[in-house]
């Protein structure tokens, strides 16, 4: 079964901390995406990657960075966590093209205090 | 700007009622269309998708959606809902020349037993 695994289900971090959210997929997908999900705002794209070492900004990249050193792993980095980054973070992957849509991970609920 | 609009933020129905969730998008080119569902505590999963051909597409669990190109719409329907359909539903669109999927803000569906 196809899987996207996010390393943590729940995280609590302090303001100003550097936070790493990890995502691994086992489907050999080219594309990987990070979204944040907030009530009433739906899913908003933070960053995405179409290939190893490649990254593109999404709609809300401020305060975030990403790393993709290997095809299967896409990390989201909060350089200095702030309370407005408290959210549900969703990782997704897809083959090149969207014929099959995305496969999503279970999400990481991050609380910044 | 490209956008996806879901007509209702929150819908409450009784079991056996018919369901229609509205979705409109604002893209000028050729698009792929999706509906995703997120059951309580679970990850997002694909409900159905449209790429080409018959504009009436059938998905899992008795859901269907109709693509009306002239109206830029992709409404989700189910003739008789069940309590287990309680979930949040997301309409999503991508332009064929791009692998990014843009999501609507979601509709929370609550089915009364």
């Amino acid at each position: 079964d196809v899987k996207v695994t996010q390393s943590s289900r729940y995280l609590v971090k302090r303001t100003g901390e550097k936070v790493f959210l990890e995502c691994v997929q086992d489907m050999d997908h080219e594309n990987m995406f990070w979204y944040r999900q907030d009530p009433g705002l739906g899913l908003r794209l933070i960053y995405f990657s179409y290939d190893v070492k490649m990254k593109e900004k999404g709609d809300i990249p401020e305060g975030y960075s990403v790393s993709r050193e290997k095809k299967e792993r896409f990390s989201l980095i909060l350089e200095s966590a702030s309370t407005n980054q408290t959210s549900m973070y969703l990782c997704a992957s897809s083959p090149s093209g969207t014929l099959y849509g995305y496969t999503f991970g279970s999400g990481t609920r991050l609380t910044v205090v | 700007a490209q956008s996806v609009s879901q007509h209702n933020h929150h819908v409450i129905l009784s079991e056996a009622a018919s369901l229609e969730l509205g979705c409109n998008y604002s893209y000028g080119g050729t698009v792929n269309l999706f509906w995703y569902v997120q059951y309580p505590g679970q990850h997002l999963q694909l409900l159905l998708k449209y790429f080409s051909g018959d504009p009436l597409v059938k998905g899992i669990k008795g859901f269907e959606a109709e693509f009306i190109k002239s109206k830029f719409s992709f409404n989700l329907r189910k003739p008789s809902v069940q309590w287990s359909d309680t979930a949040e539903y997301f309409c999503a669109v991508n332009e064929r020349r791009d692998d990014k999927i843009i999501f609507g803000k979601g509709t929370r569906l609550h089915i009364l037993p």
Side-chain angles (χ1 to χ4, degrees):
Chain A
D1 198 16
V2 160
K3 278 189 178 173
V4 176
T5 303
Q6 295 184 231
S7 55
S8 303
R9 189 76 175 98
Y10 298 95
L11 272 179
V12 180
K13 296 293 182 180
R14 294 192 180 277
T15 300
E17 276 193 77
K18 190 169 186 176
V19 181
F20 293 86
L21 302 183
E22 305 289 345
C23 176
V24 177
Q25 50 97 1
D26 64 0
M27 299 161 284
D28 201 36
H29 284 171
E30 288 78 17
N31 302 337
M32 295 189 76
F33 305 85
W34 275 106
Y35 288 85
R36 63 178 283 178
Q37 182 181 9
D38 299 287
L41 296 178
L43 277 70
R44 293 179 292 167
L45 182 62
I46 305 171
Y47 267 97
F48 60 99
S49 170
Y50 289 160
D51 201 354
V52 176
K53 297 191 185 294
M54 176 269 180
K55 59 185 178 184
E56 293 278 351
K57 292 180 180 179
D59 298 320
I60 52 164
E62 295 78 21
Y64 304 94
S65 63
V66 291
S67 173
R68 193 166 181 201
E69 296 295 319
K70 294 184 178 181
K71 189 175 186 180
E72 66 271 18
R73 185 180 296 270
F74 193 36
S75 303
L76 180 69
I77 304 156
L78 286 65
E79 297 292 341
S80 177
S82 63
T83 55
N84 63 12
Q85 293 178 310
T86 292
S87 186
M88 172 68 85
Y89 289 88
L90 299 178
C91 177
S93 73
S94 75
S96 183
T98 55
L99 184 63
Y100 301 102
Y102 291 173
T103 301
F104 280 90
S106 297
T108 296
R109 185 166 293 282
L110 172 67
T111 301
V112 182
V113 297
Chain B
Q2 302 162 345
S3 66
V4 178
S5 176
Q6 293 186 235
H7 302 173
N8 308 98
H9 295 301
H10 198 181
V11 173
I12 301 173
L13 294 172
S14 297
E15 274 194 311
S18 64
L19 169 72
E20 181 159 3
L21 301 182
C23 173
N24 287 91
Y25 64 93
S26 62
Y27 284 78
T30 304
V31 296
N32 301 320
L33 297 155
F34 309 85
W35 276 96
Y36 278 83
V37 61
Q38 187 173 37
Y39 297 102
Q42 296 187 25
H43 64 276
L44 275 154
Q45 53 187 288
L46 185 64
L47 198 57
L48 50 77
K49 61 188 178 186
Y50 171 81
F51 288 93
S52 63
D54 189 346
L56 184 63
V57 293
K58 295 190 184 300
I60 60 172
K61 303 188 181 187
F63 286 90
E64 64 179 31
E66 185 176 12
F67 171 47
I68 303 179
K69 189 175 181 180
S70 61
K71 296 184 177 180
F72 297 89
S73 70
F74 190 55
N75 294 351
L76 182 70
R77 299 195 293 248
K78 186 171 184 179
S80 177
V81 295
Q82 301 172 310
W83 177 79
S84 58
D85 293 325
T86 293
E88 189 161 16
Y89 293 80
F90 293 91
C91 181
V93 177
N94 93 291
E95 289 187 287
R96 295 257 176 101
R97 59 185 175 89
D98 192 354
D99 285 1
K100 285 186 300 181
I101 297 179
I102 305 300
F103 289 81
K105 294 184 178 181
T107 297
R108 288 187 181 273
L109 175 65
H110 186 70
I111 306 299
L112 302 173

